[in-house]
């Protein structure tokens, strides 16, 4: 066993030299014998209350830096950046990093449609000339739809692509440069009479036809004077422009109205799905609500939770800071808020709030998800720091990437069933010097398969002789059998005993000293050093 691990590490570092141009310590990345190219970041799980944590997978999309997308050649480094699924305890389930060629990915999450699970994401990579596009995958991880913005628009905004209408439509954020008369700003000391403004809005499209069902632009509805950020970019040619609004989420309720969050007006807006007028504002300079003993700023991810005739319940993430000043708080917080809309004046009251357990601010990105059982899952973004609180406030899960070199824009927790179209991958090695003295060690994995319970191993002879069964463990399962099996394959077995898939037949790799008396140089050193302490090695003839 120890020897096999040692041997495997040697094998992997040989592959690394070819793939991983990244220099330095890679202990923060997964290492697999079967998939040496998949080097997804590992999580450190620091709190895990198995009885109270909600069942479900984490949907995360690690990236190192937003400028990484300008370096296509780095595609050849091992794959780390891109959509990834982890089980709720930090084991990798699927990495799409190689499939999407290490491109930056945002807002990766599952949705239900046509009775099965699907995945959506925004690709924001070098391959698309920074134009970005939305993609939809089915539960076999095949791309079924691509959602592109019209040529005249700058790019698919990275913040949001949310499916609606049972997965028939997608809502996403759009932007363009508009030349505007800004003389209305002269009281604010602005000298220019006109300039470029970075206009932002959202669109809902049918995924099958691309047809736009609704479109809304901030400049048509929101005065520039409500922005809380410095005017910049007015003089430059597009794409320069004053980013006055910075919209970062869009959601839709059962009535067909929308809710958007704008970071640079510190405000959440409800927008009529009929004519686009602003129905109410929460927060900012012109709030339609009296805020009962709370405030927020630079918020993200406003979501409708439920509503009745008198009350609308929403959630959002208050990052409370712009990285320069702590605008409203020293700590970022997830909020569940009741908006009482039938009283005058309308009132907003906090139902629950859950703050970052480590007491820090999320200066950028992040999202909050109220789970079906009332638990609160928050992605604080930097370092993929994620937490789950019970509704009453107890922390039941806390995790983050093992290193600080990756972030994720958002993370989600959902149930998901994945049946990959690609087959399982198997590698087999024989240790020993002859068939009589050998042990055959198999490694097997199936990127993205969620339903595998155990693996059955077979010889590829005319009798398909069974070698044995191993319970699935994490992304990759190791299985060891006494004897020499020259050609091996594995079948994935579900909990109910169904065969889910089968690897190709692999010829077993024999050890270097197969059927020879040759002593290689390290053998004396190894046996001198190790055999006294590691009796297992002795039994393998070392
Ligand atoms: C759902 O099925 C319909 C009809 O086959 C198809 O047009 C649509 O693209 C499917 N939706 C998704 C998300 O695949
Ligand atoms: C409406 O929802 C609020 C908050 O969930 C609840 O307190 C209230 O009782 C509900 N009103 C009605 C009429 O159902
Ligand atoms: C909130 O997050 C935004 C990024 O979305 C960041 O630019 C801003 O600095 C944060 N707010 C504060 C006050 O730190
Ligand atoms: C925000 O609310 C906190 C707590 O109620 C209060 O201490 C703080 O002064 C408020 N800040 C602003 C800018 O209103
Ligand atoms: C902002 O809050 C952090 C704690 O999250 C604190 O360390 C820092 O001093 C605060 N900065 C300002 C300018 O108040
Ligand atoms: C994750 O755990 C490892 C091992 O305990 C530790 O060295 C590392 O510092 C941790 N990472 C973070 C970000 O805390
Ligand atoms: C996953 O499914 C289980 C069982 O139905 C449910 O209790 C749990 O809340 C679901 N998890 C999520 C994240 O929706
Ligand atoms: C597997 O066994 C079958 C039947 O004995 C044979 O036809 C096939 O060539 C074998 N495959 C490999 C890769 O050895």
């Amino acid at each position: 066993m120890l020897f096999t691990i040692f041997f495997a590490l040697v094998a992997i570092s040989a592959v690394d030299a070819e793939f991983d141009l990244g220099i330095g310590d890679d202990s923060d990345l997964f290492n697999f014998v079967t998939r040496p190219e998949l080097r997804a970041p590992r999580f450190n799980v620091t709190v895990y209350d198995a009885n109270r944590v909600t069942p479900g997978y984490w949907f995360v999309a690690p990236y190192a830096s937003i400028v990484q997308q300008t370096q296509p050649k780095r595609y050849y480094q091992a794959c780390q950046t891109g959509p990834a699924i982890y089980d709720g305890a930090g084991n990798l389930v699927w990495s799409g990093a190689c499939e999407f060629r290490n491109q930056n990915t945002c807002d990766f999450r599952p949705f239900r449609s046509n009775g099965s699970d699907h995945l959506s994401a925004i690709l924001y990579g070098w391959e698309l000339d920074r134009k970005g596009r939305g993609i939809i995958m089915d539960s076999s991880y095949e791309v079924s739809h691509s959602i592109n913005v019209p040529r005249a628009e700058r790019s698919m905004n990275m913040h949001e692509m949310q499916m609606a209408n049972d997965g028939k439509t997608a809502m996403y954020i759009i932007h363009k440069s508009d030349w505007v008369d800004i003389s209305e700003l002269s009281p604010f000391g602005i000298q220019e009479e006109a300039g470029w403004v970075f206009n932002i809005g959202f669109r809902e499209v049918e995924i099958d036809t691309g047809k736009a069902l609704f479109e809304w632009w901030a400049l048509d509805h929101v005065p520039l004077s409500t922005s809380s950020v410095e005017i910049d970019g007015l003089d430059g040619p597009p794409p320069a422009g004053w980013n006055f609004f910075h919209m970062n989420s869009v959601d839709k309720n059962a009535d067909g109205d929308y809710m958007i969050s704008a970071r640079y007006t510190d405000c959440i807006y409800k927008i009529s799905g009929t004519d686009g007028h602003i129905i109410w504002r929460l927060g900012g300079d012109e709030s339609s609500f009296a805020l009962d003993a709370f405030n927020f700023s630079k918020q993200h991810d406003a979501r409708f939770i439920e509503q009745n005739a008198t009350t609308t319940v929403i959630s959002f993430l208050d990052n409370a800071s712009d990285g320069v000043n702590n605008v409203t708080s020293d700590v970022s917080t997830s909020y569940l808020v009741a908006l009482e809309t039938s009283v005058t004046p309308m009132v907003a009251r906090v139902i629950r709030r859950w703050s970052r357990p480590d007491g820090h601010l999320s200066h950028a990105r992040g999202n909050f998800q109220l789970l079906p059982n009332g638990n609160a899952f928050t992605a604080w973004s930097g370092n993929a720091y994620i937490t789950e609180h019970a509704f009453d406030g107890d922390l039941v899960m806390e995790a983050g990437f093992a290193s600080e070199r990756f972030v994720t824009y958002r993370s989600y927790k959902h149930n998901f069933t994945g049946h990959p179209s690609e087959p399982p991958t198997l590698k087999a090695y024989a240790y020993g010097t002859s068939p009589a003295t050998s042990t055959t060690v198999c490694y097997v994995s199936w990127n993205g398969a969620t339903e595998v319970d155990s693996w059955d191993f077979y010889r590829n002879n005319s009798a398909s002789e069974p070698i044995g069964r191993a319970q699935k463990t994490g992304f990759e399962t190791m299985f060891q059998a006494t004897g020499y099996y020259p050609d091996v394959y594995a079948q994935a077995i579900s909990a109910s005993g169904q065969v889910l898939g089968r690897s190709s037949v692999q010829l077993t790799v024999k050890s270097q000293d197969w059927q020879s008396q040759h002593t290689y140089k390290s053998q004396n050193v190894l046996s001198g050093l190790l055999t006294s302490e590691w009796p297992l090695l002795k039994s393998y003839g070392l």
Side-chain angles (χ1 to χ4, degrees):
M1 167 82 142
L2 288 167
F3 178 60
T4 64
I5 289 169
F6 173 73
F7 189 88
L9 290 176
V10 171
I12 284 167
S13 49
V15 174
D16 273 358
E18 211 176 300
F19 275 89
D20 192 352
L21 302 182
I23 310 291
D25 179 15
D26 65 358
S27 61
D28 58 334
L29 306 176
F30 279 107
N31 252 333
F32 302 114
V33 177
T34 49
R35 302 299 300 265
E37 79 283 19
L38 296 183
R39 305 298 309 276
R42 288 177 192 275
F43 274 92
N44 280 2
V45 180
T46 39
V47 173
Y48 189 80
D49 181 341
N51 295 323
R52 298 179 73 192
V53 78
T54 311
Y57 296 98
W58 302 335
F59 296 79
V60 184
Y63 62 88
S65 151
I66 210 75
V67 299
Q68 179 179 339
Q69 62 196 277
T70 63
Q71 301 175 8
K73 289 197 181 71
R74 300 195 71 183
Y75 159 50
Y76 295 104
Q77 82 182 43
C79 308
Q80 299 149 14
T81 303
I85 304 175
Y86 295 81
D87 70 10
N91 293 302
L92 187 69
V93 172
W94 178 71
S95 167
C98 282
E99 204 52 51
F100 292 106
R101 313 219 284 165
N102 252 350
Q103 295 182 86
N104 282 5
T105 304
C106 291
D107 205 20
F108 170 57
R109 54 172 138 169
F111 65 97
R112 296 282 300 172
S113 184
N114 294 337
S116 65
D117 287 329
H118 296 256
L119 296 158
S120 65
I122 300 167
L123 289 186
Y124 204 68
W126 47 266
E127 215 174 46
L128 300 151
D129 199 17
R130 298 191 132 212
K131 191 84 175 158
R133 75 174 152 181
I135 50 148
I136 291 173
M137 283 175 274
D138 61 23
S139 59
S140 73
Y141 304 94
E142 294 291 333
V143 174
S144 61
H145 297 77
S146 167
I147 294 166
N148 299 293
V149 293
R151 239 169 204 291
E153 284 164 26
R154 287 171 51 154
S155 64
M156 174 77 112
N157 184 281
M158 65 183 277
H159 289 89
E160 173 99 71
M161 189 173 82
Q162 154 116 337
M163 307 305 295
N165 299 316
D166 300 321
K168 291 188 193 66
T169 65
M171 301 178 290
Y172 58 87
I173 297 175
I174 47 184
H175 33 99
K176 62 180 181 181
S177 299
D178 277 339
W179 180 255
V180 295
D181 180 348
I182 53 166
S183 52
E184 60 160 305
L185 292 180
S186 51
F188 300 89
I190 304 309
Q191 303 305 317
E192 292 91 339
E193 290 179 346
W196 289 105
V197 166
F198 182 93
N199 197 0
I200 194 159
F202 66 93
R203 179 181 294 133
E204 182 172 356
V205 298
E206 281 179 355
I207 60 164
D208 281 344
T209 62
K211 186 181 155 201
L213 304 179
F214 190 83
E215 191 168 308
W216 186 94
W217 290 98
L219 262 184
D220 300 337
H221 301 275
V222 180
L224 291 168
S225 57
T226 54
S227 181
S228 66
V229 292
E230 299 265 315
I231 294 178
D232 58 22
L234 286 170
D235 295 333
W242 177 27
N243 183 4
F244 81 109
F245 197 64
H246 197 106
M247 185 172 155
N248 56 25
S249 70
V250 51
D251 198 22
K252 191 180 186 182
N253 67 8
D255 300 339
D257 294 323
Y258 299 91
M259 180 165 62
I260 62 173
S261 160
R263 178 173 122 196
Y264 287 167
T265 55
D266 301 313
C267 187
I268 294 167
Y269 303 80
K270 185 177 178 186
I271 308 289
S272 163
T274 311
D275 62 8
H277 83 273
I278 294 171
I279 298 172
W280 50 243
R281 293 172 185 77
L282 174 68
D285 291 342
E286 298 172 340
S287 182
S288 316
F289 296 86
L291 273 59
D292 182 15
F294 78 107
N295 52 41
F296 62 88
S297 59
K298 315 299 180 218
Q299 76 293 332
H300 282 78
D301 196 33
R303 301 285 157 206
F304 286 114
I305 302 296
E306 60 185 23
Q307 68 180 77
N308 60 26
T310 61
T311 310
T312 300
V313 177
I314 67 164
S315 68
F316 61 90
L317 175 64
D318 175 22
N319 74 333
S321 161
D322 61 7
V324 181
N325 302 300
N326 299 346
V327 180
T328 48
S329 172
D330 281 352
V331 61
S332 299
T333 300
S334 298
Y335 276 93
L336 189 63
V337 169
L339 306 175
E340 295 170 11
T341 48
S342 63
V343 293
T344 315
M346 300 195 293
V347 179
R349 287 183 216 285
V350 176
I351 300 173
R352 286 282 166 175
R353 68 184 107 197
W354 301 270
S355 292
R356 261 184 89 127
D358 65 2
H360 293 155
L361 284 163
S362 293
H363 288 302
R365 309 169 301 256
N367 65 305
F368 167 62
Q369 193 189 348
L370 188 68
L371 300 179
N373 61 357
N375 279 10
F377 181 82
T378 305
W380 309 97
S381 179
N383 199 26
Y385 183 52
I386 51 177
T387 59
E388 185 174 331
H389 290 86
F391 193 73
D392 66 12
D394 289 351
L395 183 65
V396 298
M397 190 281 298
E398 180 187 47
F401 284 150
S403 70
E404 295 186 356
R405 56 179 168 145
F406 300 100
V407 300
T408 179
Y409 179 77
R410 289 176 176 171
S411 301
Y412 296 89
K413 187 169 202 180
H414 285 282
N415 288 311
F416 183 75
T417 304
H419 297 289
S421 54
E422 66 176 54
T425 309
L426 178 124
K427 297 260 169 81
Y429 302 90
Y431 300 109
T433 55
S434 67
T437 63
S438 273
T439 297
T440 303
V441 180
C442 305
Y443 297 84
V444 67
S445 67
W446 197 3
N447 192 20
T450 55
E451 305 307 290
V452 182
D453 178 64
S454 57
W455 291 99
D456 281 348
F457 297 85
Y458 296 91
R459 265 214 66 182
N460 185 51
N461 52 18
S462 52
S464 286
E465 181 189 330
I467 308 174
R469 169 172 288 198
Q471 202 65 29
K472 182 189 174 220
T473 53
F475 185 90
E476 184 168 82
T477 302
M478 190 194 73
F479 168 74
Q480 203 166 214
T482 304
Y484 170 62
Y485 300 96
D487 41 19
V488 179
Y489 66 90
Q491 283 189 339
I493 310 296
S494 73
S496 63
Q498 197 193 342
V499 177
L500 300 171
R502 177 190 156 146
S503 74
S504 62
V505 176
Q506 292 297 308
L507 300 182
T508 299
V509 177
K510 296 195 264 313
S511 64
Q512 258 173 296
D513 50 354
W514 187 254
Q515 282 180 336
S516 86
Q517 297 308 310
H518 176 72
T519 312
Y520 50 92
K521 287 194 177 68
S522 64
Q523 186 165 340
N524 291 333
V525 181
L526 275 174
S527 50
L529 276 178
L530 301 174
T531 45
S532 55
E533 287 166 64
W534 293 1
L536 252 180
L537 291 179
K538 213 173 202 167
S539 68
Y540 291 127
L542 260 175

